[in-house]
Amino acid sequence: MNYEINDLNVLKSYNLSILGRLNALCEPLKIFNITDFGYSKIIENEKLFRFSTHNRWTEVYFDNKLFNNVECYRNLLSPTVFDENKKEIISIWTGEPSDSVSKIKLASGLWNGISIYEIKENYIEVWAFGSTIENSQLGSFYIKNLEFLKRFIVYFRNLAPDILDISQ
C-alpha cells in the first residue's frame, strides 16, 4: 500500500480528532481489561483506513510505514480472500511475538489481543481488541467471549457510524 505523506497526515490527524470520543465509546471494554481498540478497513484497491485508541501504536504504525509491510496483511489482499464463502478470520495475538510487526506492536505497549477480520465483497474490516503484556489471560477470555466482542462491534457501528464513514 503506497500512500502520499498528505494521506498519512490526514489519517493521523483524524485519529487524534476522534480519540476522546473513541475512548468514551470503548469504556465498556475496560471492565474486562481490554484497554485498546482499533479498526481498519482495507479496500480491494489496497487503500487503508484505520484508527486506534492506542496512541503509541498509532505513532509507531505510521512512522514505520507498517501499512506497507506485507507481514501486516499477509494473505489478506489475495483475490481468494474476497471469495464469497469466506466471511471471517480470527487472529489472537498472545504469547511470544513471532514476526517483526508483532514485535514492534509489543514494544509499543500493545499486546494480548484479538483481531476479527470481516470479509466483505470488496473490502475487509478489521476490529482489534488488545491490552498489555501483563494481561496474558485475555487469550482465553477472547475465545470464550467472542460473542461479546461481536456485540461490541454492533454497538460501535450503531453509535459511531460517522467515525466509520470513509467517504470524506
Side-chain angles (χ1 to χ4, degrees), residues 2-84:
N2 293 310
Y3 285 90
E4 300 293 323
I5 295 298
N6 288 342
D7 295 334
L8 299 178
N9 289 335
V10 167
L11 282 173
K12 284 172 80 173
S13 295
Y14 180 71
N15 202 109
L16 287 172
S17 73
I18 64 167
L19 197 53
R21 184 165 169 224
L22 196 55
N23 282 323
L25 287 165
C26 295
E27 194 65 32
L29 297 173
K30 292 180 181 166
I31 296 167
F32 303 102
N33 290 321
I34 300 171
T35 56
D36 303 297
F37 170 75
Y39 171 85
S40 298
K41 187 172 198 175
I42 306 165
I43 302 172
E44 232 174 352
N45 66 4
E46 298 187 13
K47 288 292 183 184
L48 171 78
F49 170 73
R50 77 166 297 283
F51 55 79
S52 171
T53 60
H54 197 281
N55 286 335
R56 181 72 184 122
W57 173 238
T58 296
E59 275 183 38
V60 167
Y61 183 87
F62 285 112
D63 291 349
N64 289 285
K65 296 181 173 65
L66 294 178
F67 47 83
N68 284 334
N69 189 318
V70 71
E71 286 184 23
C72 284
Y73 308 104
R74 187 180 310 279
N75 301 323
L76 288 178
L77 294 175
S78 69
T80 58
V81 168
F82 293 97
D83 178 329
E84 63 188 45

